Amino acid sequence: MAETATVLEAPLPTRDLSHNPKRYLVLGATSGIAEATCRIWAAEGANLFLVGRSEEKLRAMAGDLRVRGAAFVDIAATDLDRLEDHPGLLAHAITQLGGLDVAYLAFGILGEQPKAETDVAHAEQILHTNLTAPVSMLTWLANFCLKQGRGTLAVLSSVAGDRGRKSNYVYGASKAGLTAFVDGLRNRIDRDGVGVLTIKPGPVKTAMTAGMPGSEKFADVNAVAKDIANAIAKGEGGVMYVPAKWRPIMAVVRAIPDSVFKKLNL
Ligand SMILES: NC(=O)c1ccc[n+]([C@@H]2O[C@H](COP(=O)([O-])OP(=O)(O)OC[C@H]3O[C@@H](n4cnc5c(N)ncnc54)[C@H](OP(=O)(O)O)[C@@H]3O)[C@@H](O)[C@H]2O)c1
């Protein structure tokens, strides 16, 4: 496994990327939202390094993205819960890509709220995958991007982090923590040329939400991916709600007094 310094010393481009300049590292690449975003990037001739748990799914996805126009696709199958593997994984991915323009963090678990109410180990698992693991990745990536003086870090948080609800407050807590971390990171490194984008989707039709009541009305994953890809292309960082209607909705949700909110069946 690579030492700390190896990540920060990952080489700058060695391959000719003049026609396909974007190099994307996608963590949690087999996520529904990430896969739809990767298809957009593939059609633009991107270079992609995909990380996920299932080698089978990653191989199938890589084949599909090559057919769609990706200039370069490589994969790594690993469990991102293993923090000790992060620096070696990042060094390998950045080396294979020949540098890094965008890191897209999409991995996450919804967990089971009723179980998490009595099983602390399950609550801890949700917090580990959704908060601790991204914090580890973003710390390594931020320092790499600072060193090269550029790059975009795009992170899938959630509207669920904007206010604790009785129906999913453990997942919500993990996303609230992630949102606060990413906000602070942006305020630290934005001025040094690194864009940090917090992405807060409302409910989207993916495997994560399949079978939920009302899921047929959830946002289309391709439309969500298009908005995300457009925001990342600007390279400016910031906070985006997707679909955009969730910004005013969550402003109202946050403004509801506690005395009223606790009586709502949310
Ligand atoms: N869908 C929504 O309504 C919604 C709304 C707001 C925010 N989000 C957030 O958006 C992100 C993507 O969600 P999605 O809807 O696309 O979900 P999804 O299709 O269920 O994908 C989640 C991905 O995370 C991966 N993953 C989970 N734990 C992992 C680990 N320890 N190591 C490596 N990979 C791991 C899963 O891999 P496996 O395939 O191996 O399980 C899967 O590819 C998540 O962070 C989610 O919280 C989603």
Side-chain angles (χ1 to χ4, degrees), residues 28 30-33 53 57 78-81 106-109 129 156-158 171 175 201-204 206-209:
T30 55
S31 107
I33 297 174
R53 280 190 293 204
K57 282 193 214 167
T78 187
D79 187 334
L80 290 169
D81 281 349
F107 61 99
I109 56 172
T129 302
L156 278 162
S157 187
S158 173
Y171 173 80
K175 292 299 191 180
V204 184
T206 67
M208 186 174 275
T209 56

Side-chain angles (χ1 to χ4, degrees), residues 32-234:
I33 297 174
E35 183 168 9
T37 319
C38 286
R39 288 180 178 174
I40 294 169
W41 291 332
E44 295 167 356
N47 300 272
L48 296 154
F49 194 97
L50 313 175
V51 181
R53 280 190 293 204
S54 163
E55 184 164 348
E56 194 186 344
K57 282 193 214 167
L58 288 169
R59 281 191 189 284
M61 190 176 157
D64 175 64
L65 294 175
R66 286 187 193 105
V67 169
R68 288 172 187 271
F72 170 86
V73 189
D74 198 357
I75 63 167
T78 187
D79 187 334
L80 290 169
D81 281 349
R82 297 208 307 246
L83 310 188
E84 66 277 16
D85 291 350
H86 288 184
L89 172 69
L90 291 177
H92 175 68
I94 293 170
T95 302
Q96 293 305 108
L97 279 171
L100 183 69
D101 298 303
V102 177
Y104 184 34
L105 277 73
F107 61 99
I109 56 172
L110 189 58
E112 298 169 43
Q113 172 65 28
K115 187 176 175 190
E117 288 169 13
T118 55
D119 180 346
V120 175
H122 186 57
E124 191 182 16
Q125 176 66 62
I126 296 168
L127 291 166
H128 184 88
T129 302
N130 293 353
L131 177 58
T132 307
V135 163
S136 165
M137 275 297 178
L138 287 166
T139 300
W140 289 111
L141 287 164
N143 290 320
F144 174 79
C145 288
L146 270 182
K147 192 177 177 204
Q148 70 173 1
R150 51 182 291 279
T152 299
L153 305 176
V155 185
L156 278 162
S157 187
S158 173
V159 294
D162 277 17
R163 188 154 193 189
R165 294 185 293 133
K166 66 180 177 183
S167 60
N168 76 343
Y169 63 82
V170 178
Y171 173 80
S174 71
K175 292 299 191 180
L178 182 59
T179 294
F181 181 87
V182 176
D183 283 349
L185 182 64
R186 176 170 46 253
N187 295 333
R188 175 186 148 217
I189 66 176
D190 181 78
R191 68 196 71 180
D192 294 309
V194 184
V196 182
L197 179 66
T198 310
I199 304 160
K200 295 185 182 180
V204 184
K205 273 184 243 168
T206 67
M208 186 174 275
T209 56
M212 281 185 183
S215 59
E216 67 283 353
K217 293 185 195 139
F218 291 177
D220 174 68
V221 71
N222 293 312
V224 165
K226 192 174 171 198
D227 287 351
I228 292 172
N230 285 340
I232 291 175
K234 288 185 190 149

